[in-house]
Amino acid sequence: MGRTRESKDAIITELKESLSESQLAIVIDYQGLSVAEITDLRRRLRPKGASCKVTKNTLMGFAVDGDTKWQPMEGLLKGSSAFLLVKDDLGGAIKAYQDFQKATKKTALRGGVMDGKALSEAEIKAIADLPSKEQLMAQIAGALNAVTAKIAIGIKEVPASVARGLQAYADKDKEESNGASSEAA
């Protein structure tokens, strides 16, 4: 029994909503995957802020129709398609998919779409090689900490150098006055 027009419209609406929240969409060929394997993929993607949607290409075609941000996906809609919709951690989600793909060896990456641009498999792998959000935040925090440490050392050094200069002047003055009093005697 086929789906009703209302259920198809509900699916299209849900897909449009998911796409509007996503930064990147990856299309994979999932033919040969069992339900347990797709569940495993979804479980791996969830902590990375991504989801896996399995739907008919025609329904995804209706969802991206007229949306310039996702329009290039139409060229990838063929065969058994699953859609990885990534909201947050782009690199982490792609790495999670790559780990899944290595374990199952049953899926194939067709391509992706990001900001209205079609991405090849090589471009998607390049995104995966970028540092994760946490790594970037740690690098920025480290750089900020280094700068503030240098500023603090510099601020601390100004009064210390002034104090050393005053002490040197006082010692010199003391030596001169001791030298003058020993000559007078």
Side-chain angles (χ1 to χ4, degrees):
M1 184 170 137
R3 294 183 182 204
T4 64
R5 181 69 191 158
E6 292 79 27
S7 69
K8 289 179 183 178
D9 287 342
I11 292 169
I12 292 169
T13 303
E14 180 188 335
L15 288 172
K16 283 183 178 184
E17 184 178 317
S18 295
L19 285 168
S20 71
E21 297 169 354
S22 300
Q23 296 180 38
L24 169 68
I26 300 171
V27 182
I28 62 169
D29 184 351
Y30 78 98
Q31 189 168 10
L33 287 182
S34 67
V35 173
E37 289 169 328
I38 289 182
T39 303
D40 179 42
L41 175 59
R42 287 178 173 145
R43 182 187 53 76
R44 290 177 190 230
L45 292 172
R46 197 171 300 121
K48 306 298 182 189
S51 62
C52 177
K53 301 279 185 188
V54 177
T55 189
K56 290 185 172 231
N57 291 330
T58 54
L59 295 178
M60 182 58 84
F62 286 128
V64 300
D65 189 40
D67 189 345
T68 56
K69 184 177 178 184
W70 302 112
Q71 196 78 37
M73 192 185 305
E74 288 181 343
L76 303 170
L77 301 177
K78 58 183 180 268
S80 303
S81 300
F83 306 92
L84 309 181
L85 305 177
V86 186
K87 295 176 188 172
D88 297 324
D89 186 4
L90 302 179
I94 295 169
K95 287 175 188 171
Y97 166 70
Q98 288 173 336
D99 291 342
F100 171 80
Q101 202 276 334
K102 285 178 190 172
T104 62
K105 296 182 178 21
K106 292 183 180 178
T107 63
L109 184 65
R110 278 200 207 126
V113 177
M114 183 173 173
D115 292 328
K117 182 182 183 295
L119 301 175
S120 67
E121 186 175 351
E123 290 170 321
I124 291 171
K125 287 181 180 178
I127 292 171
D129 293 337
L130 296 173
S132 70
K133 189 177 183 180
E134 291 80 19
Q135 289 171 325
L136 287 174
M137 290 171 68
Q139 289 174 354
I140 291 170
L144 289 174
N145 192 23
V147 169
T148 55
K150 287 180 182 179
I151 290 172
I153 290 168
I155 290 172
K156 178 183 165 200
E157 192 57 37
V158 170
S161 65
V162 169
R164 283 193 298 272
L166 289 174
Q167 186 64 46
Y169 182 75
D171 290 345
K172 181 181 171 192
D173 194 38
K174 193 176 190 182
E175 284 177 16
E176 285 178 3
S177 62
N178 282 345
S181 59
S182 58
E183 284 178 14

